Amino acid sequence: MDDYAVVNTKEELKLAVERGTRQIIITNPDLASNIKTVKTASKAALVTAIGAAGVAATNFWNPVGWGAGAVGLVAGGSTLTAIIALGVGATLIYAIYNGYSIKGKTKVKTPDGTEYEAEIVMEKN
């Protein structure tokens, strides 16, 4: 487990969450916005959006999949959009949702003395 990670891309975020990093410093405003959307979603909206993203992704060739994806978009809205933009699996979405608290825009000083302008900071619960 790492003490901290400075993250600017969804790939870096995925790696930091998989490693169980205690403090994740997000510097990318778009990535931070998607994380905020996921963190503020209700559990029901999150489950609906994840399900809709999965159904639409696995059934892209089938009109039934399009309908399910559309229903999920109506039900999950911005949460579904954020999940798709983050591009990480359901397990990592739940890890972000349940395993981390977030702080808004702030300056963070790391143990090595480097200071970062963070859009958000995720801290392990």
Side-chain angles (χ1 to χ4, degrees):
M1 180 181 316
D2 298 331
D3 285 339
Y4 76 94
V6 179
V7 170
N8 192 46
T9 66
K10 60 186 176 184
E11 292 79 15
E12 293 169 341
L13 172 65
K14 181 179 177 184
L15 194 59
V17 172
E18 286 174 344
R19 289 183 175 165
T21 305
R22 292 180 192 191
Q23 183 182 55
I24 303 173
I25 302 162
I26 312 287
T27 58
N28 179 321
D30 294 330
L31 185 60
S33 175
N34 290 325
I35 292 167
K36 286 179 199 173
T37 300
V38 167
K39 285 295 290 177
T40 58
S42 70
K43 195 166 271 198
L46 191 64
V47 168
T48 300
I50 288 172
V55 168
T58 59
N59 293 304
F60 70 92
W61 51 269
N62 182 339
V64 173
W66 301 342
V71 168
L73 183 57
V74 170
S78 61
T79 305
L80 177 60
T81 303
I83 288 169
I84 291 169
L86 286 173
V88 297
T91 303
L92 288 178
I93 293 294
Y94 279 117
I96 292 169
Y97 185 79
N98 290 321
Y100 287 88
S101 60
I102 61 171
K103 292 182 184 175
K105 194 171 183 110
T106 188
K107 288 185 180 181
V108 178
K109 193 171 191 174
T110 59
D112 67 1
T114 307
E115 194 167 294
Y116 293 94
E117 288 280 338
E119 293 295 322
I120 63 170
V121 177
M122 295 172 45
E123 293 184 340
K124 195 137 177 82
N125 295 335

